[in-house]
Amino acid sequence: MAPPNRAGSVPAREAALDGAVVSLGREGGVYADQFEIYHGNSNPDLARKICRYLGVEPGKAEVFQFANENIFVKILDNVREKDVFLVQPTSHPVNQSIMELLIMIDAFKRASAGRITAVIPFYAYGRSDKKDQPRVPITARLIADMLTVAGADRVLAMDLHQGQIQGFFNIPVDELTAVHILSNYFKHKHLEDLVVVTDLGFAKRARTFAELLDAPLAVIEKRRIGNLDRAELMNVIGDVRGKRAIIVDDEIDTGGTLTEIVRALERENVSEIYACATHGVLSGPAVEKIRDSSLIEVVLTDSVPLPAIKRLSKFTTLSVAPLIGEAIRRIHRGESVGALFSSEVSFTQEMLLWEDGQQRRIDTRDEPDAGDGNGPDGDPDDTEPEQLTQFASAMPPRDR
């Protein structure tokens, strides 16, 4: 009996149904005519959404921890010479997630997988990417070395904290970005007098975000105090007075920087403040800080799972499953991943509200007080149909 995610259910493999093997372009590398998707315990919901988008079932594996905290992995399928993708963001609990990923890679390598791609939607330790103090490590490089030594053949990541992290790897790295999905969400809200606000570290991608919204860019100059999760804001560079501001960043961790930016914008008499980020880590008091702030809405992706205890009516979550799924399909086929953000950028933006094949609605109200903010589904308030734009957001995979 064939495994549940045989090639027959995936358009990417239709050309190889005769049982032949296909070359994926790596010198001397030949992989079976099918790819398999496996996941650890870090974000299984995202992995299942990716599989649902691609029309496959996740591969079967046991990944668990013994009483002595030793992690054990057993693959329950035959993966010999197959193209394997391991979906495991290194989010909470960070160190356990990293070890799970490393041990999974080793298990698949010893099971003779043809190629192993580590799909890491959130790359932990990304902020430790340089020696900015005496006698400190570059942990982002250490993690890259560990993944390579464990046996990963390539990495698929999303919005790394800094682009130079790609250079820490001696294997191919494909970096996706959620900037287009996030910007398109705000584009469909039809907000006027916008200004995009970010810090210097994310300025390059924020400029793309601002261009997609046809809005000016303002930059926050900040200085971090020691090794504390606290930043001291210096200056707001740009004209923000009287505008609606969208704060954009790669990650919201403790919420300290975000709330400091909100206070700085309030001093500049900004009329409304929104925020968005790819990774909603939301550690420590972040949820309380956001709840008590004047932020109208915070838009995140599901690269990091958002537990029910942390969900607020201010939070909107967009799924990156179609984007990662499409990248996996292209990597398997040997096609361009970069085209998703250049010649086929409109296709990336169409993935806006895909959520498990269900239609979702996007609130397009200009006024923040048009409802009570307490919709029954946990999203911003349920309002009259004329205040909403309906999106047929269940993206059918291409070439089906």
Side-chain angles (χ1 to χ4, degrees), residues 161-362:
H161 187 65
Q162 293 292 342
Q164 67 259 26
I165 294 176
Q166 294 185 34
F168 293 168
F169 291 88
N170 291 320
I171 56 178
V173 177
D174 292 297
E175 183 183 3
L176 307 177
T177 180
V179 163
H180 299 85
I181 295 174
L182 293 170
S183 63
N184 205 36
Y185 175 85
F186 284 101
K187 182 183 293 185
H188 284 93
K189 290 179 77 70
H190 303 297
L191 300 174
E192 297 178 351
D193 296 325
L194 283 179
V195 59
V196 176
V197 181
T198 190
D199 61 38
L200 290 169
F202 202 63
K204 186 174 181 180
R205 289 216 166 129
R207 181 173 289 109
T208 301
F209 187 99
E211 289 172 353
L212 290 168
L213 288 177
D214 194 22
L217 177 67
V219 176
I220 298 289
E221 181 189 6
K222 71 176 182 180
R223 179 175 61 199
R224 192 164 295 279
I225 302 173
N227 294 318
L228 303 175
D229 286 322
R230 185 161 56 92
E232 176 185 296
L233 295 179
M234 305 295 288
N235 295 298
V236 180
I237 305 171
D239 181 19
V240 299
R241 189 172 297 273
K243 295 180 179 291
R244 289 184 171 98
I246 301 175
I247 304 168
V248 57
D249 208 342
D250 64 318
E251 174 185 338
I252 299 176
D253 186 5
T254 62
T257 298
L258 177 61
T259 51
E260 286 294 327
I261 293 175
V262 169
R263 293 190 190 101
L265 295 176
E266 288 173 341
R267 291 193 294 268
E268 296 290 331
N269 295 321
V270 170
S271 62
E272 296 176 5
I273 306 175
Y274 300 80
C276 64
T278 302
H279 312 299
V281 179
L282 303 177
S283 55
V287 174
E288 289 76 13
K289 288 180 180 179
I290 292 171
R291 182 189 59 209
D292 298 336
S293 73
S294 60
L295 284 164
I296 293 174
E297 184 179 16
V298 178
V299 183
L300 306 169
T301 78
D302 57 355
S303 65
V304 174
L306 184 64
I309 195 173
K310 292 185 177 182
R311 291 175 187 165
L312 300 176
S313 60
K314 289 185 179 183
F315 288 147
T316 297
T317 304
L318 305 179
S319 181
V320 292
L323 181 58
I324 296 175
E326 189 65 24
I328 288 174
R329 189 203 310 280
R330 288 167 182 249
I331 290 170
H332 177 70
R333 287 178 168 179
E335 297 176 354
S336 171
V337 174
L340 286 171
F341 308 102
S342 54
S343 60
E344 299 184 40
V345 66
S346 60
F347 174 57
T348 305
Q349 292 176 329
E350 286 172 3
M351 297 176 178
L352 176 61
L353 288 180
W354 187 93
E355 182 71 19
D356 286 358
Q358 300 296 319
Q359 290 185 341
R360 291 182 59 192
R361 296 185 298 176
I362 177 171

Side-chain angles (χ1 to χ4, degrees), residues 136-180:
V136 297
I138 304 179
T139 318
R141 171 61 191 265
L142 173 63
I143 300 299
D145 289 342
M146 292 165 66
L147 290 167
T148 305
V149 171
D153 294 297
R154 66 185 306 127
V155 168
L156 177 61
M158 174 166 286
D159 279 328
L160 296 169
H161 187 65
Q162 293 292 342
Q164 67 259 26
I165 294 176
Q166 294 185 34
F168 293 168
F169 291 88
N170 291 320
I171 56 178
V173 177
D174 292 297
E175 183 183 3
L176 307 177
T177 180
V179 163
H180 299 85

Side-chain angles (χ1 to χ4, degrees), residues 10-31:
V10 183
R13 312 171 202 163
E14 288 178 353
L17 287 178
D18 57 357
V21 295
V22 293
S23 173
L24 294 181
R26 190 180 70 173
E27 184 176 353
V30 177
Y31 312 111

Side-chain angles (χ1 to χ4, degrees), residues 51-70:
C51 290
R52 195 170 295 121
Y53 173 81
L54 291 169
V56 302
E57 291 291 330
K60 296 178 180 179
E62 295 177 354
V63 183
F64 63 90
Q65 194 176 76
F66 288 114
N68 62 1
E69 299 183 7
N70 288 193

